[in-house]
PDB file of all heavy atoms in Angstrom:
ATOM      1  N   LEU A   2      79.162  54.522  -5.561  1.00 89.00           N
ATOM      2  CA  LEU A   2      79.632  53.603  -6.603  1.00 89.00           C
ATOM      3  C   LEU A   2      81.096  53.267  -6.401  1.00 89.00           C
ATOM      4  O   LEU A   2      81.890  54.137  -6.047  1.00 89.00           O
ATOM      5  CB  LEU A   2      79.520  54.249  -7.987  1.00 89.00           C
ATOM      6  CG  LEU A   2      78.155  54.566  -8.550  1.00 89.00           C
ATOM      7  CD1 LEU A   2      78.297  55.360  -9.838  1.00 89.00           C
ATOM      8  CD2 LEU A   2      77.394  53.281  -8.813  1.00 89.00           C
ATOM      9  N   SER A   3      81.461  52.023  -6.694  1.00 90.00           N
ATOM     10  CA  SER A   3      82.881  51.692  -6.764  1.00 90.00           C
ATOM     11  C   SER A   3      83.408  52.134  -8.129  1.00 90.00           C
ATOM     12  O   SER A   3      82.655  52.346  -9.074  1.00 90.00           O
ATOM     13  CB  SER A   3      83.101  50.194  -6.558  1.00 90.00           C
ATOM     14  OG  SER A   3      82.355  49.440  -7.486  1.00 90.00           O
ATOM     15  N   ARG A   4      84.703  52.268  -8.199  1.00 92.00           N
ATOM     16  CA  ARG A   4      85.337  52.769  -9.418  1.00 92.00           C
ATOM     17  C   ARG A   4      85.026  51.889 -10.637  1.00 92.00           C
ATOM     18  O   ARG A   4      84.821  52.390 -11.730  1.00 92.00           O
ATOM     19  CB  ARG A   4      86.840  52.853  -9.198  1.00 92.00           C
ATOM     20  CG  ARG A   4      87.579  53.533 -10.309  1.00 92.00           C
ATOM     21  CD  ARG A   4      89.045  53.650  -9.985  1.00 92.00           C
ATOM     22  NE  ARG A   4      89.222  54.400  -8.762  1.00 92.00           N
ATOM     23  CZ  ARG A   4      89.981  55.463  -8.639  1.00 92.00           C
ATOM     24  NH1 ARG A   4      90.680  55.883  -9.651  1.00 92.00           N
ATOM     25  NH2 ARG A   4      90.073  56.097  -7.504  1.00 92.00           N
ATOM     26  N   ASP A   5      84.983  50.566 -10.462  1.00 92.00           N
ATOM     27  CA  ASP A   5      84.733  49.682 -11.603  1.00 92.00           C
ATOM     28  C   ASP A   5      83.344  49.906 -12.193  1.00 92.00           C
ATOM     29  O   ASP A   5      83.179  49.980 -13.414  1.00 92.00           O
ATOM     30  CB  ASP A   5      84.945  48.217 -11.225  1.00 92.00           C
ATOM     31  CG  ASP A   5      84.002  47.731 -10.127  1.00 92.00           C
ATOM     32  OD1 ASP A   5      83.767  48.493  -9.159  1.00 92.00           O
ATOM     33  OD2 ASP A   5      83.511  46.593 -10.223  1.00 92.00           O
ATOM     34  N   ILE A   6      82.347  50.056 -11.335  1.00 91.00           N
ATOM     35  CA  ILE A   6      80.986  50.281 -11.840  1.00 91.00           C
ATOM     36  C   ILE A   6      80.875  51.673 -12.450  1.00 91.00           C
ATOM     37  O   ILE A   6      80.256  51.847 -13.509  1.00 91.00           O
ATOM     38  CB  ILE A   6      79.941  50.044 -10.737  1.00 91.00           C
ATOM     39  CG1 ILE A   6      79.913  48.556 -10.372  1.00 91.00           C
ATOM     40  CG2 ILE A   6      78.556  50.505 -11.186  1.00 91.00           C
ATOM     41  CD1 ILE A   6      78.899  48.174  -9.326  1.00 91.00           C
ATOM     42  N   ALA A   7      81.493  52.672 -11.833  1.00 92.00           N
ATOM     43  CA  ALA A   7      81.474  54.023 -12.407  1.00 92.00           C
ATOM     44  C   ALA A   7      82.111  54.025 -13.796  1.00 92.00           C
ATOM     45  O   ALA A   7      81.583  54.655 -14.721  1.00 92.00           O
ATOM     46  CB  ALA A   7      82.196  55.000 -11.484  1.00 92.00           C
ATOM     47  N   ALA A   8      83.217  53.323 -13.953  1.00 94.00           N
ATOM     48  CA  ALA A   8      83.888  53.270 -15.257  1.00 94.00           C
ATOM     49  C   ALA A   8      83.014  52.571 -16.293  1.00 94.00           C
ATOM     50  O   ALA A   8      82.909  53.024 -17.444  1.00 94.00           O
ATOM     51  CB  ALA A   8      85.235  52.558 -15.132  1.00 94.00           C
ATOM     52  N   GLU A   9      82.359  51.482 -15.908  1.00 92.00           N
ATOM     53  CA  GLU A   9      81.486  50.783 -16.860  1.00 92.00           C
ATOM     54  C   GLU A   9      80.257  51.614 -17.210  1.00 92.00           C
ATOM     55  O   GLU A   9      79.791  51.578 -18.352  1.00 92.00           O
ATOM     56  CB  GLU A   9      81.090  49.415 -16.310  1.00 92.00           C
ATOM     57  CG  GLU A   9      82.241  48.436 -16.364  1.00 92.00           C
ATOM     58  CD  GLU A   9      81.776  47.008 -16.319  1.00 92.00           C
ATOM     59  OE1 GLU A   9      80.847  46.654 -17.063  1.00 92.00           O
ATOM     60  OE2 GLU A   9      82.353  46.252 -15.524  1.00 92.00           O
ATOM     61  N   LEU A  10      79.725  52.340 -16.245  1.00 91.00           N
ATOM     62  CA  LEU A  10      78.621  53.256 -16.552  1.00 91.00           C
ATOM     63  C   LEU A  10      79.057  54.256 -17.613  1.00 91.00           C
ATOM     64  O   LEU A  10      78.316  54.527 -18.568  1.00 91.00           O
ATOM     65  CB  LEU A  10      78.172  54.016 -15.293  1.00 91.00           C
ATOM     66  CG  LEU A  10      77.178  53.342 -14.385  1.00 91.00           C
ATOM     67  CD1 LEU A  10      77.060  54.099 -13.071  1.00 91.00           C
ATOM     68  CD2 LEU A  10      75.825  53.227 -15.046  1.00 91.00           C
ATOM     69  N   SER A  11      80.236  54.789 -17.460  1.00 92.00           N
ATOM     70  CA  SER A  11      80.762  55.743 -18.430  1.00 92.00           C
ATOM     71  C   SER A  11      80.946  55.090 -19.790  1.00 92.00           C
ATOM     72  O   SER A  11      80.545  55.634 -20.824  1.00 92.00           O
ATOM     73  CB  SER A  11      82.087  56.314 -17.928  1.00 92.00           C
ATOM     74  OG  SER A  11      82.657  57.160 -18.894  1.00 92.00           O
ATOM     75  N   ASP A  12      81.543  53.905 -19.802  1.00 94.00           N
ATOM     76  CA  ASP A  12      81.780  53.194 -21.069  1.00 94.00           C
ATOM     77  C   ASP A  12      80.482  52.848 -21.782  1.00 94.00           C
ATOM     78  O   ASP A  12      80.416  52.837 -23.007  1.00 94.00           O
ATOM     79  CB  ASP A  12      82.574  51.908 -20.824  1.00 94.00           C
ATOM     80  CG  ASP A  12      84.001  52.161 -20.378  1.00 94.00           C
ATOM     81  OD1 ASP A  12      84.501  53.301 -20.553  1.00 94.00           O
ATOM     82  OD2 ASP A  12      84.619  51.215 -19.841  1.00 94.00           O
ATOM     83  N   ASP A  13      79.436  52.539 -21.024  1.00 91.00           N
ATOM     84  CA  ASP A  13      78.153  52.114 -21.601  1.00 91.00           C
ATOM     85  C   ASP A  13      77.131  53.246 -21.681  1.00 91.00           C
ATOM     86  O   ASP A  13      75.944  53.001 -21.888  1.00 91.00           O
ATOM     87  CB  ASP A  13      77.562  50.967 -20.773  1.00 91.00           C
ATOM     88  CG  ASP A  13      78.316  49.660 -20.938  1.00 91.00           C
ATOM     89  OD1 ASP A  13      79.279  49.620 -21.735  1.00 91.00           O
ATOM     90  OD2 ASP A  13      77.958  48.677 -20.262  1.00 91.00           O
ATOM     91  N   ALA A  14      77.573  54.483 -21.526  1.00 89.00           N
ATOM     92  CA  ALA A  14      76.646  55.619 -21.462  1.00 89.00           C
ATOM     93  C   ALA A  14      75.719  55.688 -22.664  1.00 89.00           C
ATOM     94  O   ALA A  14      74.510  55.888 -22.507  1.00 89.00           O
ATOM     95  CB  ALA A  14      77.422  56.929 -21.311  1.00 89.00           C
ATOM     96  N   ALA A  15      76.248  55.511 -23.857  1.00 90.00           N
ATOM     97  CA  ALA A  15      75.408  55.606 -25.059  1.00 90.00           C
ATOM     98  C   ALA A  15      74.314  54.543 -25.045  1.00 90.00           C
ATOM     99  O   ALA A  15      73.151  54.823 -25.368  1.00 90.00           O
ATOM    100  CB  ALA A  15      76.263  55.490 -26.317  1.00 90.00           C
ATOM    101  N   ALA A  16      74.656  53.324 -24.648  1.00 89.00           N
ATOM    102  CA  ALA A  16      73.663  52.245 -24.595  1.00 89.00           C
ATOM    103  C   ALA A  16      72.624  52.508 -23.513  1.00 89.00           C
ATOM    104  O   ALA A  16      71.432  52.240 -23.716  1.00 89.00           O
ATOM    105  CB  ALA A  16      74.358  50.908 -24.349  1.00 89.00           C
ATOM    106  N   ILE A  17      73.055  53.026 -22.381  1.00 87.00           N
ATOM    107  CA  ILE A  17      72.117  53.333 -21.296  1.00 87.00           C
ATOM    108  C   ILE A  17      71.141  54.408 -21.739  1.00 87.00           C
ATOM    109  O   ILE A  17      69.930  54.295 -21.536  1.00 87.00           O
ATOM    110  CB  ILE A  17      72.876  53.755 -20.021  1.00 87.00           C
ATOM    111  CG1 ILE A  17      73.704  52.591 -19.486  1.00 87.00           C
ATOM    112  CG2 ILE A  17      71.908  54.253 -18.954  1.00 87.00           C
ATOM    113  CD1 ILE A  17      74.706  52.985 -18.411  1.00 87.00           C
ATOM    114  N   ILE A  18      71.654  55.440 -22.377  1.00 86.00           N
ATOM    115  CA  ILE A  18      70.800  56.539 -22.845  1.00 86.00           C
ATOM    116  C   ILE A  18      69.826  56.043 -23.915  1.00 86.00           C
ATOM    117  O   ILE A  18      68.629  56.330 -23.862  1.00 86.00           O
ATOM    118  CB  ILE A  18      71.660  57.709 -23.367  1.00 86.00           C
ATOM    119  CG1 ILE A  18      72.399  58.360 -22.200  1.00 86.00           C
ATOM    120  CG2 ILE A  18      70.807  58.736 -24.101  1.00 86.00           C
ATOM    121  CD1 ILE A  18      73.502  59.308 -22.602  1.00 86.00           C
ATOM    122  N   SER A  19      70.310  55.264 -24.861  1.00 85.00           N
ATOM    123  CA  SER A  19      69.432  54.799 -25.947  1.00 85.00           C
ATOM    124  C   SER A  19      68.374  53.824 -25.453  1.00 85.00           C
ATOM    125  O   SER A  19      67.290  53.734 -26.028  1.00 85.00           O
ATOM    126  CB  SER A  19      70.251  54.175 -27.075  1.00 85.00           C
ATOM    127  OG  SER A  19      70.848  52.972 -26.645  1.00 85.00           O
ATOM    128  N   SER A  20      68.666  53.086 -24.382  1.00 83.00           N
ATOM    129  CA  SER A  20      67.667  52.145 -23.860  1.00 83.00           C
ATOM    130  C   SER A  20      66.684  52.804 -22.904  1.00 83.00           C
ATOM    131  O   SER A  20      65.744  52.170 -22.443  1.00 83.00           O
ATOM    132  CB  SER A  20      68.363  50.977 -23.154  1.00 83.00           C
ATOM    133  OG  SER A  20      68.974  51.422 -21.966  1.00 83.00           O
ATOM    134  N   ASN A  21      66.873  54.087 -22.618  1.00 80.00           N
ATOM    135  CA  ASN A  21      66.004  54.803 -21.695  1.00 80.00           C
ATOM    136  C   ASN A  21      64.860  55.460 -22.466  1.00 80.00           C
ATOM    137  O   ASN A  21      64.609  56.641 -22.351  1.00 80.00           O
ATOM    138  CB  ASN A  21      66.823  55.850 -20.925  1.00 80.00           C
ATOM    139  CG  ASN A  21      66.037  56.476 -19.800  1.00 80.00           C
ATOM    140  OD1 ASN A  21      65.080  55.905 -19.309  1.00 80.00           O
ATOM    141  ND2 ASN A  21      66.426  57.663 -19.400  1.00 80.00           N
ATOM    142  N   ASN A  22      64.136  54.646 -23.232  1.00 75.00           N
ATOM    143  CA  ASN A  22      63.063  55.195 -24.062  1.00 75.00           C
ATOM    144  C   ASN A  22      61.783  55.510 -23.286  1.00 75.00           C
ATOM    145  O   ASN A  22      60.885  56.138 -23.818  1.00 75.00           O
ATOM    146  CB  ASN A  22      62.755  54.249 -25.229  1.00 75.00           C
ATOM    147  CG  ASN A  22      62.421  52.850 -24.760  1.00 75.00           C
ATOM    148  OD1 ASN A  22      62.262  52.602 -23.575  1.00 75.00           O
ATOM    149  ND2 ASN A  22      62.331  51.925 -25.697  1.00 75.00           N
ATOM    150  N   ASP A  23      61.699  55.076 -22.045  1.00 73.00           N
ATOM    151  CA  ASP A  23      60.515  55.414 -21.252  1.00 73.00           C
ATOM    152  C   ASP A  23      60.749  56.652 -20.393  1.00 73.00           C
ATOM    153  O   ASP A  23      59.943  56.981 -19.536  1.00 73.00           O
ATOM    154  CB  ASP A  23      60.062  54.235 -20.395  1.00 73.00           C
ATOM    155  CG  ASP A  23      61.184  53.626 -19.562  1.00 73.00           C
ATOM    156  OD1 ASP A  23      62.339  54.107 -19.654  1.00 73.00           O
ATOM    157  OD2 ASP A  23      60.916  52.668 -18.829  1.00 73.00           O
ATOM    158  N   ALA A  24      61.857  57.334 -20.632  1.00 78.00           N
ATOM    159  CA  ALA A  24      62.161  58.628 -20.006  1.00 78.00           C
ATOM    160  C   ALA A  24      62.130  58.572 -18.477  1.00 78.00           C
ATOM    161  O   ALA A  24      61.666  59.496 -17.830  1.00 78.00           O
ATOM    162  CB  ALA A  24      61.231  59.717 -20.529  1.00 78.00           C
ATOM    163  N   VAL A  25      62.640  57.482 -17.900  1.00 83.00           N
ATOM    164  CA  VAL A  25      62.744  57.431 -16.440  1.00 83.00           C
ATOM    165  C   VAL A  25      63.890  58.336 -16.012  1.00 83.00           C
ATOM    166  O   VAL A  25      64.792  58.646 -16.801  1.00 83.00           O
ATOM    167  CB  VAL A  25      62.979  55.987 -15.936  1.00 83.00           C
ATOM    168  CG1 VAL A  25      61.785  55.105 -16.241  1.00 83.00           C
ATOM    169  CG2 VAL A  25      64.257  55.395 -16.475  1.00 83.00           C
ATOM    170  N   PRO A  26      63.904  58.791 -14.766  1.00 88.00           N
ATOM    171  CA  PRO A  26      65.005  59.640 -14.287  1.00 88.00           C
ATOM    172  C   PRO A  26      66.351  58.923 -14.396  1.00 88.00           C
ATOM    173  O   PRO A  26      66.419  57.693 -14.449  1.00 88.00           O
ATOM    174  CB  PRO A  26      64.642  59.897 -12.818  1.00 88.00           C
ATOM    175  CG  PRO A  26      63.173  59.645 -12.740  1.00 88.00           C
ATOM    176  CD  PRO A  26      62.870  58.592 -13.757  1.00 88.00           C
ATOM    177  N   ASP A  27      67.428  59.704 -14.397  1.00 86.00           N
ATOM    178  CA  ASP A  27      68.756  59.127 -14.603  1.00 86.00           C
ATOM    179  C   ASP A  27      69.123  58.091 -13.549  1.00 86.00           C
ATOM    180  O   ASP A  27      69.692  57.050 -13.874  1.00 86.00           O
ATOM    181  CB  ASP A  27      69.823  60.221 -14.680  1.00 86.00           C
ATOM    182  CG  ASP A  27      69.851  61.133 -13.453  1.00 86.00           C
ATOM    183  OD1 ASP A  27      68.928  61.073 -12.622  1.00 86.00           O
ATOM    184  OD2 ASP A  27      70.809  61.912 -13.338  1.00 86.00           O
ATOM    185  N   ASP A  28      68.771  58.329 -12.273  1.00 88.00           N
ATOM    186  CA  ASP A  28      69.137  57.346 -11.255  1.00 88.00           C
ATOM    187  C   ASP A  28      68.398  56.030 -11.460  1.00 88.00           C
ATOM    188  O   ASP A  28      68.935  54.956 -11.193  1.00 88.00           O
ATOM    189  CB  ASP A  28      68.939  57.897  -9.837  1.00 88.00           C
ATOM    190  CG  ASP A  28      67.574  58.505  -9.564  1.00 88.00           C
ATOM    191  OD1 ASP A  28      66.714  58.522 -10.474  1.00 88.00           O
ATOM    192  OD2 ASP A  28      67.369  58.980  -8.435  1.00 88.00           O
ATOM    193  N   VAL A  29      67.183  56.086 -12.002  1.00 89.00           N
ATOM    194  CA  VAL A  29      66.431  54.867 -12.295  1.00 89.00           C
ATOM    195  C   VAL A  29      67.043  54.143 -13.493  1.00 89.00           C
ATOM    196  O   VAL A  29      67.179  52.912 -13.485  1.00 89.00           O
ATOM    197  CB  VAL A  29      64.937  55.185 -12.543  1.00 89.00           C
ATOM    198  CG1 VAL A  29      64.171  53.938 -12.957  1.00 89.00           C
ATOM    199  CG2 VAL A  29      64.325  55.806 -11.295  1.00 89.00           C
ATOM    200  N   ALA A  30      67.464  54.892 -14.513  1.00 89.00           N
ATOM    201  CA  ALA A  30      68.120  54.277 -15.672  1.00 89.00           C
ATOM    202  C   ALA A  30      69.408  53.573 -15.244  1.00 89.00           C
ATOM    203  O   ALA A  30      69.692  52.451 -15.678  1.00 89.00           O
ATOM    204  CB  ALA A  30      68.406  55.326 -16.740  1.00 89.00           C
ATOM    205  N   PHE A  31      70.190  54.223 -14.365  1.00 89.00           N
ATOM    206  CA  PHE A  31      71.410  53.589 -13.853  1.00 89.00           C
ATOM    207  C   PHE A  31      71.057  52.321 -13.078  1.00 89.00           C
ATOM    208  O   PHE A  31      71.712  51.290 -13.221  1.00 89.00           O
ATOM    209  CB  PHE A  31      72.171  54.518 -12.901  1.00 89.00           C
ATOM    210  CG  PHE A  31      72.757  55.736 -13.534  1.00 89.00           C
ATOM    211  CD1 PHE A  31      73.169  56.781 -12.740  1.00 89.00           C
ATOM    212  CD2 PHE A  31      72.915  55.858 -14.906  1.00 89.00           C
ATOM    213  CE1 PHE A  31      73.731  57.926 -13.288  1.00 89.00           C
ATOM    214  CE2 PHE A  31      73.463  56.996 -15.475  1.00 89.00           C
ATOM    215  CZ  PHE A  31      73.873  58.024 -14.663  1.00 89.00           C
ATOM    216  N   GLY A  32      70.053  52.428 -12.222  1.00 89.00           N
ATOM    217  CA  GLY A  32      69.661  51.284 -11.400  1.00 89.00           C
ATOM    218  C   GLY A  32      69.235  50.097 -12.229  1.00 89.00           C
ATOM    219  O   GLY A  32      69.617  48.962 -11.942  1.00 89.00           O
ATOM    220  N   ARG A  33      68.456  50.340 -13.269  1.00 89.00           N
ATOM    221  CA  ARG A  33      68.011  49.256 -14.148  1.00 89.00           C
ATOM    222  C   ARG A  33      69.218  48.605 -14.819  1.00 89.00           C
ATOM    223  O   ARG A  33      69.334  47.388 -14.869  1.00 89.00           O
ATOM    224  CB  ARG A  33      67.027  49.798 -15.185  1.00 89.00           C
ATOM    225  CG  ARG A  33      66.558  48.746 -16.143  1.00 89.00           C
ATOM    226  CD  ARG A  33      65.419  49.186 -17.033  1.00 89.00           C
ATOM    227  NE  ARG A  33      65.549  50.543 -17.497  1.00 89.00           N
ATOM    228  CZ  ARG A  33      64.522  51.315 -17.818  1.00 89.00           C
ATOM    229  NH1 ARG A  33      63.293  50.864 -17.718  1.00 89.00           N
ATOM    230  NH2 ARG A  33      64.710  52.540 -18.251  1.00 89.00           N
ATOM    231  N   TRP A  34      70.153  49.426 -15.328  1.00 90.00           N
ATOM    232  CA  TRP A  34      71.342  48.906 -15.999  1.00 90.00           C
ATOM    233  C   TRP A  34      72.178  48.074 -15.023  1.00 90.00           C
ATOM    234  O   TRP A  34      72.618  46.969 -15.346  1.00 90.00           O
ATOM    235  CB  TRP A  34      72.156  50.070 -16.561  1.00 90.00           C
ATOM    236  CG  TRP A  34      73.428  49.669 -17.228  1.00 90.00           C
ATOM    237  CD1 TRP A  34      73.580  49.268 -18.523  1.00 90.00           C
ATOM    238  CD2 TRP A  34      74.733  49.624 -16.648  1.00 90.00           C
ATOM    239  NE1 TRP A  34      74.900  48.983 -18.779  1.00 90.00           N
ATOM    240  CE2 TRP A  34      75.633  49.196 -17.641  1.00 90.00           C
ATOM    241  CE3 TRP A  34      75.228  49.916 -15.379  1.00 90.00           C
ATOM    242  CZ2 TRP A  34      76.987  49.043 -17.406  1.00 90.00           C
ATOM    243  CZ3 TRP A  34      76.588  49.760 -15.136  1.00 90.00           C
ATOM    244  CH2 TRP A  34      77.444  49.333 -16.150  1.00 90.00           C
ATOM    245  N   ILE A  35      72.381  48.596 -13.812  1.00 90.00           N
ATOM    246  CA  ILE A  35      73.186  47.883 -12.818  1.00 90.00           C
ATOM    247  C   ILE A  35      72.490  46.592 -12.388  1.00 90.00           C
ATOM    248  O   ILE A  35      73.134  45.549 -12.239  1.00 90.00           O
ATOM    249  CB  ILE A  35      73.494  48.799 -11.617  1.00 90.00           C
ATOM    250  CG1 ILE A  35      74.501  49.875 -12.065  1.00 90.00           C
ATOM    251  CG2 ILE A  35      74.024  48.012 -10.431  1.00 90.00           C
ATOM    252  CD1 ILE A  35      74.695  50.997 -11.082  1.00 90.00           C
ATOM    253  N   ALA A  36      71.175  46.632 -12.221  1.00 89.00           N
ATOM    254  CA  ALA A  36      70.439  45.425 -11.844  1.00 89.00           C
ATOM    255  C   ALA A  36      70.589  44.347 -12.913  1.00 89.00           C
ATOM    256  O   ALA A  36      70.819  43.177 -12.593  1.00 89.00           O
ATOM    257  CB  ALA A  36      68.965  45.754 -11.630  1.00 89.00           C
ATOM    258  N   ASN A  37      70.465  44.735 -14.175  1.00 88.00           N
ATOM    259  CA  ASN A  37      70.598  43.761 -15.264  1.00 88.00           C
ATOM    260  C   ASN A  37      72.019  43.230 -15.394  1.00 88.00           C
ATOM    261  O   ASN A  37      72.227  42.066 -15.699  1.00 88.00           O
ATOM    262  CB  ASN A  37      70.154  44.382 -16.593  1.00 88.00           C
ATOM    263  CG  ASN A  37      68.655  44.471 -16.692  1.00 88.00           C
ATOM    264  OD1 ASN A  37      67.948  43.550 -16.322  1.00 88.00           O
ATOM    265  ND2 ASN A  37      68.167  45.590 -17.186  1.00 88.00           N
ATOM    266  N   LYS A  38      73.003  44.091 -15.159  1.00 88.00           N
ATOM    267  CA  LYS A  38      74.401  43.699 -15.374  1.00 88.00           C
ATOM    268  C   LYS A  38      75.019  43.025 -14.151  1.00 88.00           C
ATOM    269  O   LYS A  38      75.800  42.091 -14.286  1.00 88.00           O
ATOM    270  CB  LYS A  38      75.217  44.924 -15.763  1.00 88.00           C
ATOM    271  CG  LYS A  38      76.636  44.585 -16.134  1.00 88.00           C
ATOM    272  CD  LYS A  38      77.200  45.595 -17.081  1.00 88.00           C
ATOM    273  CE  LYS A  38      78.543  45.114 -17.557  1.00 88.00           C
ATOM    274  NZ  LYS A  38      78.949  45.722 -18.778  1.00 88.00           N
ATOM    275  N   TYR A  39      74.711  43.502 -12.955  1.00 86.00           N
ATOM    276  CA  TYR A  39      75.395  43.036 -11.753  1.00 86.00           C
ATOM    277  C   TYR A  39      74.512  42.301 -10.754  1.00 86.00           C
ATOM    278  O   TYR A  39      75.036  41.662  -9.849  1.00 86.00           O
ATOM    279  CB  TYR A  39      76.019  44.226 -11.006  1.00 86.00           C
ATOM    280  CG  TYR A  39      77.189  44.831 -11.711  1.00 86.00           C
ATOM    281  CD1 TYR A  39      77.028  45.972 -12.483  1.00 86.00           C
ATOM    282  CD2 TYR A  39      78.455  44.284 -11.608  1.00 86.00           C
ATOM    283  CE1 TYR A  39      78.104  46.545 -13.131  1.00 86.00           C
ATOM    284  CE2 TYR A  39      79.531  44.841 -12.257  1.00 86.00           C
ATOM    285  CZ  TYR A  39      79.355  45.975 -13.012  1.00 86.00           C
ATOM    286  OH  TYR A  39      80.406  46.538 -13.662  1.00 86.00           O
ATOM    287  N   GLY A  40      73.222  42.432 -10.869  1.00 83.00           N
ATOM    288  CA  GLY A  40      72.342  41.842  -9.870  1.00 83.00           C
ATOM    289  C   GLY A  40      72.448  40.334  -9.841  1.00 83.00           C
ATOM    290  O   GLY A  40      72.486  39.683 -10.876  1.00 83.00           O
ATOM    291  N   ALA A  41      72.513  39.771  -8.642  1.00 82.00           N
ATOM    292  CA  ALA A  41      72.567  38.326  -8.481  1.00 82.00           C
ATOM    293  C   ALA A  41      71.192  37.698  -8.723  1.00 82.00           C
ATOM    294  O   ALA A  41      71.081  36.487  -8.814  1.00 82.00           O
ATOM    295  CB  ALA A  41      73.079  37.978  -7.088  1.00 82.00           C
TER     296      ALA A  41
END
């Protein structure tokens, strides 16, 4: 991860956790969040 994405992951941690209602593993939850936020 670059520092900017790591910082945003930290800032959005509560939202990422609350949206992980299907109990996917943490790396999958991060991937989904990054895909939605940064994916072209």
